Amino acid sequence: MNESKNPASDISCCEPEITAPKNKKSAFFEWKDWKHPLFSLALLLGAIPLEFGAGGYFFSGWVRPLWYVMAYLPVALPVLSRAWSLIRKGEVFTEFFLMGLATLGAFAIGEYPEGVAVMLFYAVGELFQEAAVKKAKGNIQALLDMRPDRVTVWRNGQLHLVAPETVNPGETVQYKAGERVALDGKLQGEGGLFNTAALTGESLPRLIGTEEDVLAGMVILDRVVDIRVTKPFQESTIARILKLVQGAAARKAKTEQFIRKFAKVYTPMVTYLALALVVVPWFFVPEYDFSTWLYRALVFLVISCPCALVISIPLGYFGGIGAASKNGILFKGSNFLDLMAKVNTVVMDKTGTLTRGTFEVVKTVSTGGSLDESWKSLAADLERSSMHPIARSIVTHITPNLQDKLPVVSEQIEIAGMGIIGKIGNKAVIVGNHRLMLQQEVQGMITVVEPGRSVVHVAIDGIHQGYFLIADTLKVDAKKAISDLQKCGIKELFILSGDRQHVTDSVAKELGITQAFGELLPEEKANLLTSIQSTPNRIVAFVGDGINDAPVLALADVGIAMGGLGSDVAIETADVVIQTDQPTKIAKAIQIGRFTRQVVWQNILLAFGVKLAVLILGATGMASMWEAVFADVGVALLAILNAVRIQYR
């Protein structure tokens, strides 16, 4: 689709662009930005007593218009210059053209103070707009600010200070306490404490262990660390986030698309109406006065300038994207902010979304065998050789330090779906499920039923010693996430999982969700989601881990990837990426979407309502240029301030 580049007729001209800062953030009040408006304001205020006779003979003749021309030019020249350059390109009907025509017309009929005031307040409004844009993109700009331009890399046994773009995967980079990580990698040596707030929005530091992932944007807090690089600079986490957010502006909400189309018709239409307001009365008004009707037409032009719309609407949506980014939520476009505001049904995967996605030993029980608590260590020693997730959970729970001297295990047999048999020293050890114990004719065997948990029995020398209860535990904020969604008015909640039905039911019951479906293959999930969507008026968000759930993420009205920074599938498929593993962010994303939409429509109604009222008053001669200034610049400022509120969500 071809898009106009007309600043007034194409709303995209006023959208904030994200560009890498070359300098530190500037303060709101900078002399270079405000010196011209302040000079014009001083002259305009200084003219007030002169207008009422304080200047005597001095403020008459050619002095009065010259005074106002001096006040007018500092703020008008940039606008007039911009208007002329666009006219030369064939783009006539722009806000710059409207403001220039209206103020020059005011000078032509001797309304000097009004002409200066309109252009002055327009210039001030532009400065407030720029400040609002800085605020709106501040959280995203912080991502750009955080990218270090130098890193210290080990090469040939020595440290070298180089640009991060020149570091290759496999090289090792050293960071001192307080430095920000520039490239994704694996932590070498002992663990370290990292501030992850820039990526996750969380203030609590995170302890990262040896060979665990460290992402670009994190800050090492406690010591010097070495990190082996796993991805080039261009593919780092921060680079991908920036690419995602920068591309978000290209995807417009339907409201933005409507305003863009409307503006293309609106701007030339009001220009011709203003012209008609001067010409048409000549044929019908008996005592036609050209200056009177020209003044009304100029008032009409100032009122009709679409500043409030072309500034506040994209600023509102961009503010929503920025506010979400601050909370660790990445929207791929303002269209998804709109869709998120309408979501009334949330469908969630279980593993990795509501649960941690890793098995943990939640309980150990001794059944009074011939051994003391040493059976636990023997079981862990036997399980060390297995890569099964349940085996790893037992090892981590009993003997987390894998650097200890490994025991000598002999005659080891791993039976798929049942467990492991082996000898450690002179003891025969069996670790497995109930079926394996019965098969091996273990004495003292008991039956344990624990819905939603896996039971791993342990026998030593043919005698039952005890068992482990193992579960994929709920995330710490899973219950709060469901509560928050219900407070948002989300009444329809579903769990779709590939896990066993009784495990899925157990998690659903604990969370208070009544509709849970387990033992689903990916295509079965997709079919079930389609069935859920078939109910009229349902807007469905699906939340998954972004790896196995890619088909469902693409199929949902809004696909949300949980903790998807490490997953290319999540980045490509999902519409919204939650940078943390916190399900509470789902409700936060809905709240931000709804608040953004609410503010945008407030601005639309405010702009149209005030402008329509003052347009009627201006056309009938009941509104002056001063009311026109309020209807244009005043409403624009109110809309900007309203849009900035989104940043505090």
Side-chain angles (χ1 to χ4, degrees):
M1 181 177 67
N2 294 326
E3 298 180 359
S4 167
K5 295 181 180 178
N6 185 323
S9 63
D10 188 348
I11 201 169
S12 64
C13 74
C14 294
E15 290 172 354
E17 294 182 358
I18 311 172
T19 54
K22 295 180 180 178
N23 301 307
K24 292 184 178 179
K25 289 183 181 179
S26 57
F28 172 71
F29 187 94
E30 288 191 5
W31 175 248
K32 67 181 180 66
D33 296 328
W34 285 85
K35 61 182 179 181
H36 292 152
L38 288 175
F39 177 76
S40 295
L41 178 63
L43 289 179
L44 183 61
L45 294 176
I48 293 175
L50 298 177
E51 288 280 4
F52 289 94
Y57 178 76
F58 167 75
F59 205 63
S60 61
W62 59 268
V63 174
R64 181 173 181 264
L66 179 61
W67 182 284
Y68 284 112
V69 167
M70 291 173 61
Y72 177 78
L73 289 178
V75 288
L77 283 177
V79 176
L80 296 176
S81 175
R82 180 68 172 151
W84 176 245
S85 65
L86 290 172
I87 289 172
R88 292 178 62 186
K89 296 177 182 177
E91 299 174 10
V92 178
F93 298 107
T94 68
E95 60 180 288
F96 309 104
F97 171 76
L98 292 181
M99 298 307 294
L101 182 61
T103 53
L104 289 173
F107 267 75
I109 60 174
E111 300 291 347
Y112 306 127
E114 286 95 330
V116 174
V118 168
M119 195 61 81
L120 172 61
F121 289 129
Y122 178 76
V124 172
E126 288 291 293
L127 289 174
F128 272 96
Q129 175 196 339
E130 290 175 11
V133 168
K134 287 180 183 178
K135 178 66 180 174
K137 69 180 182 181
N139 299 307
I140 301 169
Q141 193 72 56
L143 294 175
L144 291 156
D145 290 338
M146 75 171 58
R147 295 183 297 181
D149 55 6
R150 290 287 183 272
V151 293
T152 306
V153 62
W154 284 102
R155 287 176 179 169
N156 300 321
Q158 294 185 335
L159 292 172
H160 298 269
L161 196 62
V162 301
E165 294 89 342
T166 65
V167 179
N168 299 315
E171 292 191 288
T172 299
V173 178
Q174 185 178 93
Y175 297 96
K176 299 180 179 65
E179 285 189 327
R180 194 176 298 276
V181 177
L183 303 109
D184 292 359
K186 299 278 188 182
L187 185 63
Q188 306 299 293
E190 60 182 292
L193 200 61
F194 288 81
N195 181 338
T196 66
L199 299 178
T200 66
E202 296 304 307
S203 57
L204 291 177
R206 175 183 167 191
L207 183 63
I208 296 179
T210 304
E211 286 298 322
E212 289 187 347
D213 290 328
V214 181
L215 303 180
M218 294 181 176
V219 178
I220 177 65
L221 297 177
D222 56 348
R223 64 184 189 85
V224 177
V225 297
D226 286 342
I227 297 174
R228 176 170 49 80
V229 176
T230 55
K231 294 178 182 177
F233 182 75
Q234 295 78 7
E235 297 176 16
S236 67
T237 298
I238 287 298
R240 288 197 294 169
I241 294 173
L242 290 173
K243 183 179 179 182
L244 185 153
V245 179
Q246 287 172 319
R251 298 186 179 185
K252 310 295 181 196
K254 289 184 179 179
T255 311
E256 285 184 275
Q257 293 171 352
F258 165 74
I259 291 298
R260 181 195 293 124
K261 293 175 183 177
F262 175 80
K264 289 180 180 179
V265 178
Y266 172 83
T267 308
M269 180 183 70
V270 296
T271 304
Y272 291 127
L273 284 175
L275 179 62
L277 196 58
V278 178
V279 176
V280 173
W282 184 79
F283 297 99
F284 302 101
V285 177
E287 297 181 2
Y288 175 80
D289 179 66
F290 175 76
S291 295
T292 299
W293 288 99
L294 177 60
Y295 182 77
R296 292 184 184 183
L298 296 174
V299 170
F300 188 90
L301 279 178
V302 173
I303 297 168
S304 62
C305 189
C307 297
L309 291 174
V310 300
I311 292 170
S312 63
I313 293 173
L315 181 61
Y317 281 114
F318 196 81
I321 292 172
S325 174
K326 181 178 68 175
N327 285 277
I329 305 163
L330 299 179
F331 281 88
K332 285 189 175 180
S334 55
N335 53 330
F336 299 119
L337 272 169
D338 258 2
L339 269 175
M340 187 62 82
K342 300 174 186 176
V343 165
N344 52 31
T345 303
V346 175
V347 181
M348 291 170 281
D349 178 40
K350 178 183 72 70
T351 306
T353 300
L354 296 170
T355 65
R356 296 177 184 273
T358 56
F359 289 102
E360 293 182 8
V361 175
V362 295
K363 189 177 182 181
T364 60
V365 178
S366 296
T367 53
S370 58
L371 296 181
D372 55 18
E373 298 294 300
S374 62
W375 66 268
K376 300 176 186 178
S377 296
L378 289 170
D381 288 341
L382 182 62
E383 293 278 39
R384 282 192 182 192
S385 60
S386 174
M387 295 306 296
H388 193 283
I390 288 180
R392 304 317 302 162
S393 69
I394 293 174
V395 173
T396 301
H397 181 74
I398 303 300
T399 56
N401 186 1
L402 297 182
Q403 302 303 315
D404 289 346
K405 184 178 179 182
L406 295 176
V408 177
V409 179
S410 59
E411 301 179 24
Q412 179 176 320
I413 300 173
E414 184 164 356
I415 304 172
M418 298 179 70
I420 302 178
I421 299 172
K423 293 195 71 174
I424 300 177
N426 61 351
K427 296 187 180 297
V429 182
I430 305 172
V431 182
N433 58 23
H434 188 85
R435 283 192 300 151
L436 180 61
M437 297 296 140
L438 293 179
Q439 184 192 80
Q440 298 297 314
E441 299 180 349
V442 170
Q443 299 177 24
M445 183 60 196
I446 61 173
T447 300
V448 181
V449 179
E450 287 281 347
R453 296 176 176 180
S454 297
V455 182
V456 179
H457 296 271
V458 180
I460 308 296
D461 292 333
I463 301 173
H464 191 266
Q465 303 293 327
Y467 58 87
F468 299 101
L469 289 182
I470 297 172
D472 180 7
T473 57
L474 286 175
K475 292 180 178 178
V476 291
D477 64 334
K479 290 183 179 179
K480 186 176 186 305
I482 301 304
S483 174
D484 288 350
L485 285 170
Q486 291 169 341
K487 289 176 183 176
C488 285
I490 306 297
K491 302 299 183 185
E492 300 247 64
L493 293 166
F494 296 80
I495 295 179
L496 306 186
S497 176
D499 207 344
R500 291 164 294 173
Q501 185 64 52
H502 74 87
V503 176
T504 305
D505 288 338
S506 175
V507 170
K509 182 179 180 181
E510 192 171 353
L511 293 174
I513 297 175
T514 57
Q515 302 179 89
F517 302 87
E519 302 179 23
L520 299 173
L521 296 173
E523 58 269 24
E524 291 173 329
K525 277 189 182 182
N527 292 337
L528 192 50
L529 182 73
T530 302
S531 175
I532 293 170
Q533 286 178 304
S534 65
T535 301
N537 301 319
R538 267 184 180 163
I539 304 297
V540 180
F542 179 81
V543 191
D545 61 15
I547 299 172
N548 299 321
D549 296 318
V552 201
L553 283 168
L555 192 62
D557 296 307
V558 182
I560 305 174
M562 289 288 296
L565 285 179
S567 167
D568 290 329
V569 175
I571 295 293
E572 293 298 326
T573 308
D575 307 313
V576 181
V577 179
I578 294 178
Q579 296 173 244
T580 70
D581 281 330
Q582 295 175 284
T584 46
K585 299 290 187 180
I586 305 167
K588 188 67 177 178
I590 292 173
Q591 291 167 358
I592 291 172
R594 289 178 179 176
F595 188 65
T596 300
R597 184 174 174 81
Q598 175 186 331
V599 167
V600 165
W601 277 102
Q602 286 173 354
N603 285 345
I604 291 173
L605 295 175
L606 172 70
F608 276 122
V610 173
K611 282 182 180 291
L612 181 62
V614 183
L615 276 172
I616 295 171
L617 294 174
T620 56
M622 299 174 65
S624 70
M625 195 75 78
W626 298 104
E627 283 85 0
V629 169
F630 171 74
D632 175 42
V633 180
V635 172
L637 288 176
L638 289 175
I640 289 168
L641 293 174
N642 194 32
V644 168
R645 290 194 302 136
I646 301 173
Q647 291 299 300
Y648 297 96
R649 294 301 289 179

